[in-house]
Amino acid sequence: MKAPAQPDPAWLDSQYNNRALVPEHARHFERWASESQAARQQLDGMLDVAYGHGAGETLDLFPAPRPHNAPPAPVLVFIHGGYWRSLDKADHSFLAPAFVKQGACVVVPNYALCPAVGIPDIALQMVGLLAWVYRNIAVHGGDPHRITVAGHSAGGQLAALLLACRWRDVGADLPDALVKNALSISGLYDLEPLRHTPFLRDSLRLTPAQVKKVSPALLPAPPVREGRGLLYTVTGGDESSEFLRHNRMIQEAWGNDVVPVCETLPGLNHFSVLEALVQPGHRLNQLALELLEG
């Protein structure tokens, strides 16, 4: 499934500029910020923990309360969006309480932003992050063998890449199934259209070679093996036709065995779909809990 050949630049902007598509986007950002501040005050978290030495390589960690001798908690790593060039982990702490309450350990990382770095650099930062989580999360009560990665928009692209990562090539101590499952919310799986989208082009500075390297739909499907392999992908029903296309594209590229869930959630735009992740009983919240408990 491909975008129209040589699409009109104005059309590309109309498809990918989500802030223009959702005039009330500022209210969503304000809600995220205020609820995130409250979450950081409410939870006994560890903020700005370094997972590397590069720019932006810090994380916020929110352990689950655990009774004495309780088994280690499943781990949810959430990667924020913002087209790889904006937003911050501090805007997304609001996601933690709902999953901590369900007994999960939640990790929310930062990464360096474009144009100071390129998307391949960010992907490698996220590889370093997951290696850090695997090697260190047990100290904080998390189970290194039960790591689920979720991401929104650009973070959805990164989550899919992490599922496909060859972890043995990263470190001899890392298991093939380091990332057990992934959840991509409004993810982007072929970055070629973004190379031509006017409002993104200059900050992302994508080259054709980079597009091939970091587009999940252009990479081989990760093998389904014991303990690893599932990607759930969802998008809001009110999103642009391109985001709906990307959502279907990854299932077509990787197959139903790897992507058994590919859903469009009615009545949600590019920002409200993320808020559905923490609504008890919502389909998206149920999918996340299903991956964590799997």
Side-chain angles (χ1 to χ4, degrees):
M1 179 180 294
K2 296 181 178 180
Q6 297 182 334
D8 175 68
W11 180 84
L12 287 169
D13 267 357
S14 75
Q15 291 292 305
Y16 288 102
N17 191 338
N18 289 299
R19 298 189 187 194
L21 285 165
V22 184
E24 69 276 16
H25 66 269
R27 292 204 293 273
H28 291 284
F29 291 151
E30 290 166 4
R31 183 181 306 120
W32 298 359
S34 63
E35 293 183 4
S36 291
Q37 183 177 13
R40 290 192 296 275
Q41 294 171 347
Q42 167 195 346
L43 298 175
D44 185 20
M46 300 175 61
L47 306 181
D48 299 318
V49 178
Y51 65 84
H53 303 290
E57 293 185 343
T58 59
L59 60 86
D60 295 341
L61 192 155
F62 302 97
R66 294 170 60 248
H68 182 64
N69 290 331
V75 180
L76 176 65
V77 177
F78 177 82
I79 305 174
H80 73 78
Y83 277 128
W84 308 274
R85 64 179 194 169
S86 67
L87 301 182
D88 189 274
K89 62 180 173 57
D91 302 312
H92 296 82
S93 305
F94 76 94
L95 298 167
F99 294 102
V100 169
K101 184 178 179 180
Q102 293 294 326
C105 178
V106 178
V107 178
V108 186
N110 261 350
Y111 46 85
L113 300 175
C114 298
V117 299
I119 296 174
D121 301 308
I122 296 171
L124 288 175
Q125 285 186 307
M126 292 297 93
V127 168
L129 162 78
L130 264 294
W132 185 97
V133 171
Y134 178 80
R135 291 164 176 155
N136 294 277
I137 203 66
V139 175
H140 306 285
D143 188 343
H145 303 292
R146 298 174 67 194
I147 299 172
T148 295
V149 180
H152 175 234
S153 197
Q157 172 257 358
L158 294 165
L161 285 181
L162 292 167
L163 186 66
C165 181
R166 296 193 300 268
W167 291 104
R168 293 283 189 179
D169 294 346
V170 177
D173 63 318
L174 303 178
D176 287 327
L178 191 154
V179 174
K180 185 174 183 181
N181 296 309
L183 172 63
S184 182
I185 304 163
S186 304
L188 295 152
Y189 306 111
D190 177 6
L191 304 195
E192 178 63 20
L194 305 187
R195 200 165 69 83
H196 308 281
T197 302
F199 87 102
L200 293 171
R201 186 171 50 208
D202 292 342
S203 55
L204 300 187
R205 300 176 183 175
L206 279 164
T207 67
Q210 289 176 335
V211 165
K212 292 179 182 179
K213 185 180 293 185
V214 297
S215 295
L218 304 183
L219 300 175
V224 178
R225 55 170 64 93
E226 184 177 355
R228 174 193 180 180
L230 296 185
L231 171 68
Y232 287 4
T233 178
V234 301
T235 193
D238 293 346
E239 300 202 54
S240 72
S241 62
E242 276 293 88
F243 274 87
L244 299 178
R245 182 180 71 87
H246 278 270
N247 197 50
R248 298 187 299 271
M249 177 198 309
I250 193 63
Q251 189 180 55
E252 293 177 5
W254 284 3
N256 290 0
D257 288 343
V258 179
V259 190
V261 172
C262 175
E263 296 184 10
T264 300
L265 304 176
L268 298 175
N269 63 43
H270 189 74
F271 304 103
S272 60
V273 69
L274 181 57
E275 295 162 7
L277 181 61
V278 295
Q279 293 176 16
H282 194 281
R283 173 63 174 163
L284 183 52
N285 181 257
Q286 292 173 340
L287 288 174
L289 292 176
E290 185 177 300
L291 290 175
L292 283 167
E293 295 166 2

